[in-house]
């Protein structure tokens, strides 16, 4: 039986979902009172949820100014992705060396979930599967220090994943590149796995570079 979610968790998911769906825009000011009224929840769970959303990077709070939906700084995002890409390359390399049958099944399951979500047009679920995939690669590396660092990095980066929630082509391309990574891991080829991961990162960096040039 699933454990019922708390009011704070419900508030967290409601606010996060509104940001993902574009109901709350980057830079938009939000208040406890307005969010409580919008979602029909009490001020206490909304307050606690907002604190956690700020810690996870979804909201930005400034003393004396208030709280806003986090803005996306593409220059910071580019530098961040360079680091995250390097960690991912190491994680899939170690994964190719250490992954067992159960790990491979889990990775294949992530791919299947993403494919089903893309085919059905549920791009939010596809992005969630994308995040799950990268987190699982780090976990299957067998290096708990790498996993702890990477898990925290992903938690801070989820907002950027959802920036292109409406772009089907990005989701399809990402899924194909993930499949190439899994194929290399399945073959037990660390060099090939690392190269597939670096190619995936290169695609993202090129897209970010193009976005930075846009007016």
């Amino acid at each position: 039986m699933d454990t019922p979610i708390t009011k704070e968790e419900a508030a967290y998911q409601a606010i996060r979902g509104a940001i993902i769906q574009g109901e709350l825009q980057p830079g938009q000011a939000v208040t406890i009172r307005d969010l409580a009224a919008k979602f029909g929840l009490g001020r206490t769970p909304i307050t606690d949820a907002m604190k956690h959303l700020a810690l996870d990077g979804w909201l930005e709070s400034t003393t004396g100014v208030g709280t806003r939906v986090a803005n996306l700084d593409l220059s910071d995002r580019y530098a961040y992705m360079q680091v995250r890409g390097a960690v991912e390359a190491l994680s899939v390399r170690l994964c190719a060396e250490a992954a067992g049958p159960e790990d491979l099944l889990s990775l294949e399951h992530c791919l299947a979930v993403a494919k089903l979500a893309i085919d059905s047009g549920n791009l939010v679920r596809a992005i969630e599967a994308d995040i799950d995939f990268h987190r699982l690669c780090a976990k299957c590396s067998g290096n708990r220090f790498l996993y702890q660092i990477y898990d925290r990095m992903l938690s801070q980066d989820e907002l950027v994943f959802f920036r292109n929630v409406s772009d089907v082509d990005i989701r399809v391309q990402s899924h194909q590149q993930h499949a190439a990574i899994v194929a290399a891991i399945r073959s037990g080829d660390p060099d090939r796995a690392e190269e597939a991961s670096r190619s995936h990162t290169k695609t993202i960096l090129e897209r970010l570079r193009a976005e930075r040039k846009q007016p």
Side-chain angles (χ1 to χ4, degrees), residues 16 29 81-82 84 144 157 177 182 184 197-198:
R16 177 176 176 272
M81 192 61 218
Q82 289 178 309
R84 203 192 88 190
R144 66 184 180 89
D157 193 43
Q177 292 175 339
V182 172
S197 179
R198 292 191 182 281

Side-chain angles (χ1 to χ4, degrees), residues 40-56:
L41 293 166
R43 294 172 65 90
T44 298
I46 290 290
T47 300
D48 292 339
M50 289 176 69
K51 291 177 181 177
H52 285 124
L53 286 161
L55 287 173
D56 290 343

Side-chain angles (χ1 to χ4, degrees), residues 47-68:
T47 300
D48 292 339
M50 289 176 69
K51 291 177 181 177
H52 285 124
L53 286 161
L55 287 173
D56 290 343
W58 294 88
L59 298 177
E60 297 173 341
S61 295
T62 304
T63 302
V65 176
T67 301
R68 298 179 180 276

Side-chain angles (χ1 to χ4, degrees), residues 3-115:
T3 303
I5 65 172
T6 65
K7 290 182 179 180
E8 179 190 331
E9 290 170 335
Y12 182 101
Q13 294 301 330
I15 299 170
R16 177 176 176 272
I19 295 172
I20 291 171
Q21 298 297 339
E23 296 176 28
L24 298 174
Q25 292 289 320
Q28 180 178 340
V30 293
T31 66
I32 297 170
R33 182 180 62 184
D34 290 344
L35 292 177
K38 178 179 177 64
F39 300 113
L41 293 166
R43 294 172 65 90
T44 298
I46 290 290
T47 300
D48 292 339
M50 289 176 69
K51 291 177 181 177
H52 285 124
L53 286 161
L55 287 173
D56 290 343
W58 294 88
L59 298 177
E60 297 173 341
S61 295
T62 304
T63 302
V65 176
T67 301
R68 298 179 180 276
V69 177
N71 282 302
L72 302 176
D73 188 324
L74 288 179
S75 61
D76 286 346
R77 166 64 174 155
Y78 187 89
Y80 166 84
M81 192 61 218
Q82 289 178 309
V83 177
R84 203 192 88 190
V87 177
E88 285 180 350
L90 175 60
S91 73
V92 300
R93 181 178 187 85
L94 295 178
C95 190
E97 296 173 351
E102 291 186 3
D103 296 325
L104 289 172
L105 284 175
S106 296
L107 290 168
E108 294 283 3
H109 176 71
C110 276
L111 291 180
V113 170
K115 181 66 164 58

Side-chain angles (χ1 to χ4, degrees), residues 12 51-58 80 84 87 131 135 138 144-158 161:
Y12 182 101
K51 291 177 181 177
H52 285 124
L53 286 161
L55 287 173
D56 290 343
W58 294 88
Y80 166 84
R84 203 192 88 190
V87 177
I131 296 169
R135 184 173 278 114
R144 66 184 180 89
F145 299 105
L146 184 150
Y147 175 71
Q148 290 170 358
I149 293 171
Y150 190 66
D151 185 59
R152 184 57 183 167
M153 291 177 70
L154 275 183
S155 296
Q156 291 292 329
D157 193 43
E158 287 182 351
F161 273 90

